[in-house]
Amino acid sequence: MSRKPRLPFHPKTIAAGLVLVVVALGVFAYTVEARRPWFGRLSFEHHQWLTANTLRFARAWHTEGPWTLYFALLNEPKSVEFPTLTSRNPYVSYPPGFVLSAYLYGVLRDGEPTVRSVMEWNLINHVLIALTLGVVSFLALRRLGLDRVTVTLLASVPLVLELLLPGSLYWHQNVYFADQAVLLPFVLFVLLEALRDAFPPARAGCDRWLALVMAWGVACDWLFLCLTAVAYVKRLTTGDLPLPWVNPRRWLWQSVRFGLGGLVVLLLFFVQLCALGMLPRLQARFLERIGATDVNADFTGRFNQIFWGDYIPAQFGAAGTGLAFLALVGSLGLGGWLWWQAAQGASPTPGVKLAFWTLTLITIPCFLQVYALRNHSAIHDFSALKFSLVIATVPFVLLPLTVLTSLVPQWAARPAWRVGIPAGLFALALAYVIPTHIGFRTLFPEPSPVIEPLGTFVRQAVTEADIVFSPDFEIPTDPPHLLALSGKRVYYAPSLAAIAADVARYPTGSYNVVLLFLRPLDAGWQRDLAGMQGVAASGAILYRFDAETFAGLARNASPRPAEPTMPAQSGEYRWDVEGVFRLFPRAPGSSGQVGIEQPVPAQASRASNGH
């Protein structure tokens, strides 16, 4: 007699899972529409320079190949002014995993990384994080013995909160960097650890996936090291790993197996830093971020006021700080209670230990990271994002129900409690998130209308052999918005004489000089470029000269009276501290109106290319 194949999950569990998916997709669709005015366009404000940084790194990989660049994150473009990888100022604060996922998605989605593809990948991360939190909560609550209907209702709480909290809405669309990228592997690791505890026969398979997810997470952000440390303590505490003084060899071997994914990534990152000669830079940055230097010492000294008094309330409402610390105190208190029970020889209520470690893995690493890197957390409000996981999952769902089940194991057998407590927690969560969500638009700055058209124009107009100057504007190293799209620096230069003095450092014949004008040429520039033919495109004027031609042109050039100085020479790092695009002043007596859409002079050629 044939037996019907068993489903890995009960049909009612599958139905509950489908309900959570429908809720997630419905709420997510609403948030996508609500965020649409800011999608796919960059602003110079509110840390969107991080999205531009990701795009800058990913586009360099796409242009030159990640293997060719040793997966280095390069601040400067491939250009004649930057002949080596080290001259291109590698960014070394994090391993490159957060860029790798955005790069791969952009190549698959659009053929190359774009602003839209980076933001779209960020949105995908957002909905997957929310769904994972819902599944983690569902699993933990079921192990506490609650029925599927109740669990489905309560598991939707972290899902909905994660999607609606203002901080999550902003950071998980418009700003993508290490702090955002790490949260998806973070919650997947927590889910796999819970599955490993809930289903012992599946431990071997979970361990393999945990190693891969650990490698992914460590490659994204240092928060994952905090999660790994807490998970390691959990394994030691629960007996999954032997204590070192009991069996040192077995402890060492199993510890290496546990952390293998992260160790491989750290080793590769170490090799990369050594090859680039950047270990001292990482050491200096580490000391800065933990608050051991004078850099931003005022912010570090006011960490609690800034982080808990400003950043968390701005992103998660006035109750956000209290909810985060409720999760911390609850986790520590519940851990103490379980330890006391164990000391008395009592076994915890079934499911309580799993729920406790789940909420602990979500909560404790977030606190460890912000206090370990106080300088980083005090100067970057995006460092608060990780607390969306804590606030969404622990105070309204996992903590109260775990504590209640531990103290009153049979509470769900009482009809009034079984209905009233879940309904009350659900109502409290809605009462918190709805008024908090309403103000989410205040976090979104208006996109800049100049970044994409100007960056794209420069990218299409110049080549790797060009050194580009303009008396009207610059494309600095940082902020990276324009550089991410142009793939080319533009150096402000007030006169032909200033350009000649700058390029005299380069071997003749190794470069071209390009002049870009966003405004009509004034009398001085018309005199300097008399007889030269420019190219008009997109309201700008471009002149290109090979090195020899430019040297001849510049022989008779002289500085203008009271001309502004160049803020940086070509090939030098430049951080424009004003942080926004603007037109630079011309020398006294110049003419021409502001605006990239200005009509060009009649004498400029309408050819599409040429000298």
Side-chain angles (χ1 to χ4, degrees):
M1 182 177 178
S2 62
R3 300 174 64 182
K4 292 183 179 180
R6 291 186 61 188
L7 293 171
F9 297 104
H10 193 282
K12 291 182 179 179
T13 300
I14 295 174
L18 291 175
V19 170
L20 289 178
V21 170
V22 169
V23 171
L25 294 180
V27 178
F28 179 64
Y30 155 73
T31 68
V32 169
E33 187 61 31
R35 291 178 278 190
R36 191 175 299 279
W38 303 278
F39 176 74
R41 295 185 294 162
L42 290 172
S43 169
F44 283 107
E45 301 176 46
H46 207 174
H47 291 297
Q48 291 193 32
W49 124 340
L50 295 174
T51 308
N53 250 343
T54 301
L55 185 62
R56 166 168 59 181
F57 302 147
R59 281 199 160 182
W61 288 4
H62 180 257
T63 301
E64 304 171 58
W67 292 99
T68 302
L69 299 179
Y70 306 105
F71 290 87
L73 308 179
L74 301 175
N75 284 307
E76 304 290 3
K78 185 180 183 183
S79 186
V80 65
E81 315 99 283
F82 306 103
T84 65
L85 288 183
T86 52
S87 71
R88 294 171 67 178
N89 187 20
Y91 179 86
V92 298
S93 294
Y94 302 95
F98 69 96
V99 176
L100 181 60
S101 56
Y103 161 76
L104 292 173
Y105 181 80
V107 170
L108 292 173
R109 175 69 171 80
D110 295 329
E112 66 173 350
T114 63
V115 176
R116 292 182 65 87
S117 75
V118 173
M119 290 192 181
E120 197 169 273
W121 174 240
N122 207 2
L123 287 171
I124 291 171
N125 275 247
H126 193 195
V127 69
L128 291 178
I129 290 166
L131 267 171
T132 305
L133 289 178
V135 173
V136 167
S137 301
F138 186 95
L139 174 62
L141 295 177
R142 281 292 289 161
R143 289 290 156 166
L144 288 176
L146 303 184
D147 64 89
R148 290 186 182 86
V149 174
T150 300
V151 168
T152 304
L153 174 71
L154 291 173
S156 68
V157 169
L159 188 157
V160 171
L161 264 61
E162 172 61 26
L163 288 172
L164 292 183
L165 287 171
S168 301
L169 284 169
Y170 178 66
W171 301 118
H172 278 306
Q173 174 176 281
N174 287 75
V175 180
Y176 178 86
F177 207 65
D179 287 71
Q180 292 75 32
V182 73
L183 296 187
L184 179 55
F186 185 104
V187 296
L188 288 174
F189 187 94
V190 174
L191 173 60
L192 287 167
E193 193 71 14
L195 288 170
R196 185 181 183 276
D197 291 345
F199 303 101
R203 285 195 167 191
C206 287
D207 283 342
R208 287 191 289 271
W209 282 106
L210 281 165
L212 292 174
V213 172
M214 183 186 294
W216 177 12
V218 171
C220 288
D221 186 79
W222 304 122
L223 171 65
F224 214 91
L225 293 183
C226 298
L227 174 61
T228 302
V230 176
Y232 185 72
V233 171
K234 168 186 176 290
R235 296 284 185 95
L236 289 172
T237 304
T238 58
D240 285 344
L241 290 174
L243 296 172
W245 54 84
V246 174
N247 190 333
R249 292 183 61 183
R250 186 163 169 261
W251 163 78
L252 180 61
W253 168 242
Q254 292 198 14
S255 296
V256 170
R257 286 185 59 191
F258 167 76
L260 185 61
L263 291 172
V264 169
V265 168
L266 292 176
L267 177 61
L268 291 173
F269 188 46
F270 177 79
V271 170
Q272 183 193 56
L273 293 176
C274 289
L276 295 171
M278 290 292 154
L279 270 177
R281 180 180 291 187
L282 179 62
Q283 180 185 12
R285 183 54 60 90
F286 172 74
L287 293 174
E288 178 184 322
R289 291 309 188 219
I290 65 174
T293 70
D294 292 333
V295 178
N296 296 310
D298 177 57
F299 285 86
T300 308
R302 296 185 295 117
F303 163 78
N304 285 313
Q305 173 190 341
I306 293 171
F307 190 84
W308 300 113
D310 296 334
Y311 293 167
I312 293 291
Q315 298 176 40
F316 307 117
T321 298
L323 292 171
F325 275 95
L326 174 63
L328 175 64
V329 172
S331 173
L332 296 176
L334 191 55
W337 166 257
L338 292 175
W339 176 84
W340 183 83
Q341 276 192 316
Q344 300 299 312
S347 298
T349 304
V352 167
K353 187 178 290 188
L354 185 148
F356 160 71
W357 281 114
T358 299
L359 67 90
T360 297
L361 286 172
I362 291 172
T363 303
I364 301 300
C366 298
F367 279 90
L368 284 177
Q369 199 252 11
V370 296
Y371 278 97
L373 302 177
R374 289 190 307 137
N375 175 274
H376 166 79
S377 302
I379 64 176
H380 298 136
D381 61 342
F382 54 80
S383 62
L385 171 63
K386 62 183 73 69
F387 282 92
S388 69
L389 310 181
V390 178
I391 293 170
T393 310
V394 179
F396 294 106
V397 178
L398 291 185
L399 179 61
L401 292 172
T402 305
V403 170
L404 181 61
T405 303
S406 183
L407 296 176
V408 188
Q410 300 302 317
W411 71 270
R414 306 175 186 181
W417 287 34
R418 187 174 66 247
V419 174
I421 290 175
L425 291 172
F426 187 81
L428 279 175
L430 290 182
Y432 159 68
V433 75
I434 291 174
T436 303
H437 168 73
I438 290 172
F440 79 91
R441 292 173 180 82
T442 60
L443 295 178
F444 287 77
E446 286 303 307
S448 168
V450 76
I451 294 172
E452 187 166 358
L454 181 57
T456 302
F457 165 70
V458 173
R459 183 186 187 195
Q460 295 171 349
V462 301
T463 69
E464 179 186 329
D466 297 333
I467 306 176
V468 188
F469 298 90
S470 176
D472 294 330
F473 76 108
E474 69 169 334
I475 296 182
T477 313
D478 291 316
H481 305 66
L482 287 166
L483 184 56
L485 288 161
S486 68
K488 195 71 176 179
R489 291 281 300 278
V490 176
Y491 306 97
Y492 168 73
S495 67
L496 211 61
I499 298 172
D502 182 279
V503 300
R505 299 173 289 123
Y506 300 104
T508 303
S510 66
Y511 63 90
N512 303 316
V513 172
V514 170
L515 300 179
L516 273 178
F517 296 85
L518 299 188
R519 295 173 288 193
L521 277 66
D522 60 36
W525 281 105
Q526 288 184 15
R527 181 177 60 253
D528 288 341
L529 299 175
M532 300 294 108
Q533 186 178 25
V535 177
S538 301
I541 312 168
L542 180 148
Y543 290 83
R544 176 180 283 109
F545 309 97
D546 60 45
E548 185 177 347
T549 302
F550 180 79
L553 182 68
R555 284 192 187 100
N556 298 322
S558 58
R560 297 186 176 201
E563 69 179 20
T565 58
M566 293 178 62
Q569 288 187 309
S570 62
E572 289 184 345
Y573 173 79
R574 160 77 169 144
W575 179 3
D576 177 17
V577 294
E578 292 199 26
V580 295
F581 172 81
R582 64 201 182 281
L583 293 174
F584 281 65
R586 296 258 184 100
S590 64
S591 62
Q593 302 298 314
V594 172
I596 190 172
E597 278 91 23
Q598 278 291 321
V600 299
Q603 71 267 26
S605 166
R606 291 286 174 181
S608 60
N609 54 59
H611 294 294

